Amino acid sequence: MNKPTDQTLEALGAIVGPRGLVTGLDLLTPWETDWRGRYTGKALAMVLPATTAEVSAVVRLCAQRGVPIVPQGGNSGMSGGATPDASGREVILSTRRMNAIEPIDPASRQVTCEAGVVLQTLHEAAEAHGLRFPLTLGGKGSATVGGLISTNAGGTQVLRHGVMRAQVLGLEAVLPDGRIFSALTPLRKDNRGFDLKQMFIGSEGTLGIVTAATLRLVPAIAERVVVWAGTASIHAARALLLNCEQALGDALEGFEVVPQGCLESVLAYLPDARPPLARPHAWNALIEVVADAGSAASLRGRVEAAMARAFDQGLVEDAVLSASEAQAEAFWTLRESISAAERARGPAMQHDISVPVERMPDFLVTVSREIEAAWPGTRAVGYGHLGDGNIHFHVGAPAGSDRAGWEAGDGKAISRQVHDAVTRCGGSISAEHGIGQLKIDELERLGDPVALHLMRAVKRALDPAELFNPGKLVTLAPETSAP
Ligand SMILES: Cc1cc2nc3c(=O)[nH]c(=O)nc-3n(C[C@H](O)[C@H](O)[C@H](O)COP(=O)(O)OP(=O)(O)OC[C@H]3O[C@@H](n4cnc5c(N)ncnc54)[C@H](O)[C@@H]3O)c2cc1C
C-alpha cells in the first residue's frame, strides 16, 4: 500500500504529466531558497501545470487532501513569499510552463498572456509591435507576470506609469477551491459591483493563483536620454527631482538615487563597469527622460537646458547625458546591479520603505545616523526610487558577523527601529516588495488593526483552510476581538 504522500504525488502526476512534476532533490533545491538566500524550505514536490484547467485540477486535489500550495513564478521576490516552509508538506506550484502570449493587436494597445511569461519576454513581444509594456525592474530576466501582479511590483518607471496595479486591465485566477475567476476583460470601464480583480493584485498568492492577465501597453519610445548626475547631498538630489519635474513634465520617466557607497559596491561587483563621472559624489541621480515620435527632436535640448539650470542653482556637481543607447543601458546596468552587489557584500537587513517624498531626505540622513550610532560597525545605505518616495534602506552587519545570529538578534532590533521611524513619518514598511514571510510579524505589530481584521475576513472567506501560501502576508491566527 502506498503512503498518502506517494498517492498524492501519483495523482498530481496524473494531472500534469511527467514533465509537470519535479520531486528529485537536485531539481527542487534551487526553488526552495529565496533570491536573497535568507529562507530555505523543503517542498513535497514542485508541480508545473501547463494550462489553467490543470492549475484548477491540481488545486482541487490539494484541497481534498489538505496539501498547502506555494505559488511561484520566477522566484525573484524579495520577501520570501515564494519559499515553502520546512515541513516537507507543501507543494510549490510553478507557473513556468504557462508562458504563452496571445497575438498583440497594436491598435488596442493591450496584451493578454499567461502568468508565467517573463517580464523581459513581454517587453520584447511589445517592442516587436512598436509598443511598450511600461514597467521594468532589475529582476526582469526572471520575474513573471503572475509574480509582478501578486506582489503589485513597482520598479523604475512608476513615476510616470504607476505600479503593476495600474497596468492590469483584467485577470484570471484559480481560487482555493479550484474554481476559476475569469475576468480577462479588456474593458477600461466596468462598474458591475466590486472590482474583484484588485483583490488578487498584491495578495501574494494567499487568495488565488493568477493564471493569465490582460495588460495595457503604451507607444514605444522614439527617443530617450539618460542622465547620470552627481550631487553633494540627498537634499540636493530631491531639489533636482523637483526641478526635473517642472522642466520636463511627462517626459520624466524615472528618477533613481544611488549613494557613492552603493556605486562602489557595484563597481567591485561588475569588474568591467566604469564610474560614469570623473570623480566621486556623495549621491548620484539616474534620470530617465523619454519622448514619443512627436517630441523626440527637442528632447535632448530640453534635458540639457534642465541640467544647465540645475548647475546654475548649485544642485548638480557634474553630469553626463547618454550619447547612445549602449551608454544609456550601461548607466541602467549600474543601477540594476545594486541588489546583487549589496547581496554579495554580506549579511544585511533590507527595508523596502516609503515615506512622503518631501520627508525622505531628512529621514535618510537622520535614521542612517541614528542606526550607525546605536549599532557600531553597521553600514546604512538607502538607494532607489526617490521619484516615488520609495527607498531600499539596507543596514549591513559589522564585519565578521555570523549571518543567522546577527539577523535574528541585532538585525531584528534594527529592523524594528527602522520600521518604527517609518511609521512615525506616516510611511509604509513595504513599498513594493510585499510582506511574504519577511515582514509578517512587523505588519502584525504596526499594521492598522481594522485593516488587518478586514484582510483576515477576506482570507477566511476564500481560503478558510489556509492552504494558499500559508505563513505569508496574512494568517488566520485567532483574533481576541474584532477591532
Ligand atoms: C535584481 C532584482 C531587482 C528587483 N527590483 C525590483 C523593483 O524595483 N521593484 C519591485 O517591485 N520588485 C523588484 N524585485 C523583486 C521581484 O522581481 C518582484 O517582486 C517580482 O514581482 C517577483 O516576480 P516573480 O515571478 O519572481 O515572483 P516570485 O518571487 O516567484 O513570487 C513572489 C510572490 O508572488 C506569489 N506568486 C508568484 N506567482 C504567482 C501567481 N501566478 N499567482 C499567485 N501568486 C503568485 C508568490 O507566492 C510570492 O508570494 C527585484 C528583484 C531582483 C532579483
Side-chain angles (χ1 to χ4, degrees):
M1 176 70 180
N2 279 348
K3 287 192 300 188
T5 49
D6 292 340
Q7 290 169 3
T8 301
L9 292 177
E10 259 173 44
L12 286 171
I15 296 169
V16 293
R19 282 187 60 214
L21 188 66
V22 172
T23 51
L25 263 188
D26 290 356
L27 296 171
L28 255 184
T29 307
W31 308 102
E32 292 176 325
T33 295
D34 71 308
W35 186 84
R36 281 194 164 133
R38 175 173 289 212
Y39 300 103
T40 296
K42 169 136 193 49
L44 173 64
M46 175 185 266
V47 59
L48 299 99
T51 63
T52 301
E54 285 186 9
V55 175
S56 166
V58 165
V59 169
R60 275 184 208 278
L61 180 90
C62 289
Q64 279 161 10
R65 296 178 184 220
V67 177
I69 294 178
V70 180
Q72 192 179 89
N75 198 23
S76 70
M78 296 286 193
S79 304
T83 311
D85 68 14
S87 68
R89 287 179 56 236
E90 298 184 343
V91 165
I92 298 173
L93 189 150
S94 168
T95 56
R96 262 183 296 155
R97 288 173 75 207
M98 300 181 65
N99 55 10
I101 302 179
E102 283 188 10
I104 295 176
D105 167 18
S108 66
R109 288 196 195 155
Q110 51 192 252
V111 57
T112 295
C113 66
E114 290 184 315
V117 169
V118 171
L119 180 57
Q120 175 82 49
T121 312
L122 182 62
H123 285 162
E124 288 162 9
E127 275 162 27
H129 290 83
L131 294 168
R132 183 161 69 109
F133 180 63
L135 184 145
T136 194
L137 41 78
K140 60 181 178 264
S142 315
T144 62
V145 165
L148 296 163
I149 291 176
S150 303
T151 57
N152 187 26
T156 49
Q157 291 168 336
V158 172
L159 195 55
R160 181 170 179 207
H161 296 286
V163 294
M164 191 63 187
R165 193 181 294 282
Q167 321 310 330
V168 179
L169 296 171
L171 63 70
E172 177 188 80
V174 172
L175 303 180
D177 61 8
R179 280 180 299 164
I180 298 168
F181 169 73
S182 195
L184 275 179
T185 163
L187 297 177
R188 301 217 174 215
K189 296 179 93 173
D190 180 5
N191 273 349
R192 287 173 290 175
F194 301 160
D195 188 357
L196 292 170
K197 69 172 181 294
Q198 300 297 347
M199 227 169 41
F200 300 97
I201 304 174
S203 65
E204 300 182 40
T206 60
L207 302 178
I209 296 169
V210 176
T211 45
T214 301
L215 305 169
R216 91 184 174 102
L217 300 173
V218 298
I221 295 169
E223 171 75 13
R224 77 163 168 166
V225 178
V226 179
V227 183
W228 189 283
T231 69
S233 67
I234 184 67
H235 288 82
R238 156 80 178 136
L240 176 62
L241 166 64
L242 284 177
N243 266 26
C244 289
E245 282 174 337
Q246 271 175 4
L248 301 167
D250 243 13
L252 180 64
E253 185 136 311
F255 192 104
E256 302 280 308
V257 287
V258 181
Q260 181 58 23
C262 276
L263 180 59
E264 282 163 12
S265 301
V266 173
L267 295 173
Y269 180 73
L270 299 176
D272 293 336
R274 295 276 163 271
L277 300 175
R279 64 179 183 84
H281 301 269
W283 285 86
N284 302 273
L286 179 58
I287 308 164
E288 167 122 338
V289 194
V290 304
D292 57 21
S295 49
S298 59
L299 186 72
R300 186 163 288 271
R302 286 173 65 202
V303 177
E304 282 168 355
M307 285 301 128
R309 240 186 336 272
F311 269 116
D312 291 346
Q313 294 174 5
L315 301 179
V316 169
E317 296 178 325
D318 193 6
V320 54
L321 274 60
S322 60
S324 63
E325 256 308 291
Q327 196 178 21
E329 277 305 308
F331 290 170
W332 273 109
T333 300
L334 294 175
R335 162 65 187 93
E336 289 176 347
S337 303
I338 296 177
S339 297
E342 286 292 322
R343 181 178 69 167
R345 275 188 82 129
M349 300 308 283
Q350 295 97 2
H351 311 94
D352 159 42
I353 56 169
S354 58
V355 300
V357 189
E358 64 281 6
R359 299 181 74 171
M360 188 54 92
D362 284 345
F363 176 92
L364 279 176
V365 170
T366 311
V367 179
S368 302
R369 196 184 296 136
E370 285 171 1
I371 295 281
E372 287 179 351
W375 308 92
T378 58
R379 164 183 169 269
V381 289
Y383 68 89
H385 322 299
L386 182 69
D388 38 271
N390 170 202
I391 288 289
H392 301 309
F393 186 74
H394 289 194
V395 181
S401 301
D402 158 63
R403 177 174 180 156
W406 184 79
E407 281 176 0
D410 287 1
K412 198 167 176 190
I414 288 169
S415 287
R416 286 170 76 97
Q417 190 174 333
V418 173
H419 290 157
D420 286 345
V422 168
T423 307
R424 279 197 302 276
C425 273
S428 166
I429 65 166
S430 176
E432 62 173 7
H433 291 160
I435 298 295
Q437 48 187 310
L438 179 67
K439 282 173 262 179
I440 192 164
D441 293 346
E442 286 294 81
L443 181 66
E444 198 59 44
R445 185 171 75 85
L446 296 168
D448 169 32
V450 176
L452 290 171
H453 174 74
L454 284 176
M455 284 208 269
R456 286 204 178 91
V458 176
K459 175 75 173 169
R460 195 172 291 112
L462 289 186
D463 185 21
E466 291 192 86
L467 292 180
F468 268 22
N469 224 358
K472 321 283 170 45
L473 175 57
V474 58
T475 66
L476 293 182
E479 278 175 303
T480 39
S481 62

